[in-house]
Amino acid sequence: MTGKKRIVVGMSGGVDSSVTAWLLKQQGHEVIGVFMQNWEDDNDDEYCSIKQDALDAMSVADIVGIDMEIVNFAKEYKDRVFSYFLKEYSAGRTPNPDVLCNAEIKFKAFLDYALELGADCIATGHYARKLERDGVHYLMKGVDPGKDQSYFLYRLQQHQLARALFPLGDIHKSEVRRLAEEAGLPTAAKKDSTGICFIGERPFREFLQRYLPTKPGEMITPDGKVVGEHIGLMYYTLGQRKGLNIGGSKDGSGEPWFVGGKDIPGNKLIVVQGHDHPLLLKPALQMDDLSWTLPQPPAAGDYAAKNRYRMADAACSLSPIVDGKATLTFRDKQWAVTPGQSAVLYDGDICLGGGIIQ
């Protein structure tokens, strides 16, 4: 990036966005920090860290020497992200709200706000890279394989990528921590946040029960034998092992139980024994609600894909895209392919986009 730019940095109060702001300031840019308040419920809850995060972001801004604003996007978040989250869970699927938050809040509502401030671009602490060639913006994997976050950014479009910077894309996490310590940033040793942003560290079922009514039903084996009772299909995801509370059965295999499927119309949870039960291994997946990072959708052919964030790239072939839907067929069967999650397609280090697993 050449020349001095006005850059608005999304500051979360974590070490990654802190170092992002520091690096850009060191490079001589005019940097403005914005802390996004995306959630207002339970602000005084023991599990909510938003107040401390805002204080940490302000402390960093003071040390880096930049102005910082706190901007409330809670209404946009509820309308665009949280309502979708509840709708998907009530339908028995397992959504990924962080993917939607990036597309709808951080690179839409926040980007629009930054442009009103006269920003040339925005920057975030994501571990991803961007390459521009012949006017086309390519979303690339971050160089740290353990932290690459391109999976969560796959719904970004060209106009969003054109205005986005990812200063940490070429840096390993250990180096980010070192830079933060060297710069005297108070977030240098701060623990990374985990889980869904608006749930924080609170028990998931407890949170969901506030918004969705429970609907208990039978737990059954694939041949229809009742082995227990579930508390509501929305509380379970494919491949889940914990929390099933199924004891051993005299004619069972003795292996652990896993969620193998859902009978939505019958309100039954299908459970299987054994990590590699056939119901948990799928040779292909269908996806819709497609979104591509490049101007043209990818042609049918051989690629690699992730059907969840923490997994290695899996060799696959993409079918021709018809009516906004596509099929990925894998070289090796994939474990616990989960409806509602995102399947993300890669050509080497280039993130091409993807869709929602059906």
Side-chain angles (χ1 to χ4, degrees), residues 216-239:
E218 294 175 339
M219 282 188 191
I220 63 170
T221 62
D223 58 5
K225 181 183 176 184
V226 178
V227 292
E229 183 178 82
H230 67 78
I231 62 170
L233 294 179
M234 74 279 288
Y235 300 112
Y236 304 86
T237 188
L238 259 66

Side-chain angles (χ1 to χ4, degrees), residues 43-235:
N43 271 4
D44 297 320
D45 189 284
E46 63 176 305
Y47 299 111
C48 185
S49 63
I50 191 167
K51 288 183 177 178
Q52 185 59 53
D53 291 339
L55 288 171
D56 289 342
M58 286 189 281
S59 297
V60 168
D62 189 47
I63 290 171
V64 174
I66 61 173
D67 292 333
M68 201 198 84
E69 300 181 19
I70 296 177
V71 182
N72 192 315
F73 292 125
K75 183 183 184 301
E76 291 88 341
Y77 194 93
K78 262 198 166 161
D79 290 346
R80 302 182 196 177
V81 181
F82 189 61
S83 60
Y84 173 83
F85 169 87
L86 291 181
K87 184 182 72 167
E88 287 290 280
Y89 265 106
S90 63
R93 293 187 289 269
T94 307
N96 191 321
D98 291 338
V99 167
L100 202 58
C101 180
N102 284 325
E104 293 293 333
I105 306 300
K106 293 177 183 174
F107 294 87
K108 191 169 284 186
F110 169 55
L111 174 57
D112 290 344
Y113 182 83
L115 293 177
E116 288 176 9
L117 294 178
D120 295 301
C121 49
I122 61 172
T124 67
H126 286 100
Y127 288 82
R129 291 175 295 152
K130 192 184 77 169
L131 173 68
E132 183 181 355
R133 192 166 55 215
D134 299 326
V136 176
H137 300 273
Y138 294 84
L139 177 63
M140 314 283 289
K141 291 180 180 178
V143 298
D144 186 340
K147 290 298 294 181
D148 166 50
Q149 293 174 310
S150 58
Y151 176 93
F152 295 111
L153 301 171
Y154 83 90
R155 298 192 74 82
L156 299 191
Q157 307 285 299
Q158 282 288 296
H159 71 279
Q160 294 166 306
L161 288 169
R163 296 280 193 169
L165 293 176
F166 307 114
L168 305 188
D170 291 303
I171 308 176
H172 282 66
K173 180 72 178 206
S174 56
E175 176 70 0
V176 169
R177 293 275 186 199
R178 189 191 67 76
L179 288 171
E181 191 172 345
E182 183 182 286
L185 302 181
T187 53
K190 186 174 179 178
K191 182 183 174 186
D192 289 339
S193 60
T194 58
I196 299 169
C197 43
F198 52 82
I199 294 178
E201 305 294 334
R202 67 167 61 79
F204 179 73
R205 286 183 180 178
E206 174 191 297
F207 175 82
L208 211 54
Q209 283 172 348
R210 298 181 186 181
Y211 299 93
L212 297 176
T214 57
K215 190 179 177 184
E218 294 175 339
M219 282 188 191
I220 63 170
T221 62
D223 58 5
K225 181 183 176 184
V226 178
V227 292
E229 183 178 82
H230 67 78
I231 62 170
L233 294 179
M234 74 279 288
Y235 300 112

Side-chain angles (χ1 to χ4, degrees), residues 275-344:
H275 182 276
D276 295 327
H277 188 281
L279 265 188
L280 288 170
L281 298 170
K282 302 294 183 186
L285 64 82
Q286 286 75 46
M287 58 182 184
D288 65 8
D289 194 9
L290 306 177
S291 182
W292 305 111
T293 60
L294 296 176
Q296 299 297 324
D302 293 335
Y303 298 95
K306 296 179 188 287
N307 61 72
R308 64 184 65 211
Y309 172 50
R310 292 266 179 220
M311 67 171 283
D313 289 6
C316 67
S317 62
L318 171 71
S319 70
I321 300 167
V322 179
D323 296 331
K325 299 179 181 179
T327 299
L328 295 181
T329 304
F330 293 91
R331 182 186 301 165
D332 301 313
K333 289 183 178 181
Q334 297 298 296
W335 188 80
V337 175
T338 305
Q341 289 284 296
S342 292
V344 180

